[in-house]
């Protein structure tokens, strides 16, 4: 969805679910379900009718990677961890505790990083890359 949001920021008109689906290689119903989370969080809005579609509801500088994750991904950052919370085996309990601690530390670091990167940061990096690519093509 990050890809889509960055394209939406550059679009002159709202983007339809069908256009976004084509971009992502999926179907429009999946797009609508995913975009519903972004709309509920206030990052996008949809317009009905002719020339309707999805558009950003706030600037890229006011949306972070963590915001998008929460809107479309859910509360958990990692989908790994212990299979059983209270195993009978003491070895498994020790291993689970070590893994839980490592995952907690990793998640805190990742959440901090995702919260510090805005979509405006990504758009700026994209623009710089395009300028560099254009300059390199000129000198070939």
């Amino acid at each position: 969805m990050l890809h889509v949001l960055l394209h939406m920021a550059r679009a002159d008109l709202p983007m339809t679910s069908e256009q976004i689906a084509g971009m992502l290689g999926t179907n429009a119903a999946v797009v609508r379900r995913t975009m519903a989370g972004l709309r509920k969080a206030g990052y996008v809005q949809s317009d009905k009718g002719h020339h309707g579609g999805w558009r950003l509801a706030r600037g890229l500088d006011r949306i972070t990677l963590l915001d998008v994750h929460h809107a479309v991904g859910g509360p958990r950052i990692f989908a790994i961890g212990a299979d059983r919370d209270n195993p009978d085996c003491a070895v498994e309990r020790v291993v689970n505790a070590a893994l839980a601690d490592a995952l907690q530390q990793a998640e805190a670091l990742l959440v901090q990083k995702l919260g510090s990167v805005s979509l405006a940061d990504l758009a700026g990096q994209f623009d710089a890359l395009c300028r560099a690519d254009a300059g390199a093509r000129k000198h070939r």
Side-chain angles (χ1 to χ4, degrees), residues 17-29:
S17 296
E18 289 75 18
Q19 289 171 314
I20 295 169
M23 192 184 313
L24 298 176
T26 189
N27 66 57

Side-chain angles (χ1 to χ4, degrees), residues 22-131:
M23 192 184 313
L24 298 176
T26 189
N27 66 57
V30 170
V31 168
R32 284 188 287 277
R33 279 194 303 272
T34 305
M35 295 298 276
L38 292 165
R39 179 180 49 217
K40 183 177 179 184
Y43 305 131
V44 298
Q45 59 189 69
S46 59
D47 300 320
K48 296 184 187 292
H50 192 61
H51 297 294
W54 297 97
R55 59 187 171 90
L56 290 176
R58 64 171 65 173
L60 295 179
D61 59 326
R62 296 183 50 218
I63 307 170
T64 68
L65 297 179
L66 185 59
D67 293 333
V68 174
H69 168 73
H70 285 307
V72 300
R76 291 186 62 190
I77 296 291
F78 296 119
I80 60 174
D83 288 337
R84 295 182 296 157
D85 289 335
N86 297 307
D88 296 330
C89 176
V91 171
E92 192 172 352
R93 285 196 303 267
V94 170
V95 170
N96 286 354
L99 289 175
D101 183 53
L103 286 171
Q104 224 172 15
Q105 290 179 36
E107 184 171 341
L109 184 62
L110 185 56
V111 164
Q112 178 185 7
K113 181 62 177 176
L114 293 177
S116 71
V117 178
S118 73
L119 297 191
D121 296 331
L122 297 182
Q125 292 171 20
F126 169 75
D127 291 341
L129 184 62
C130 288
R131 286 190 299 273

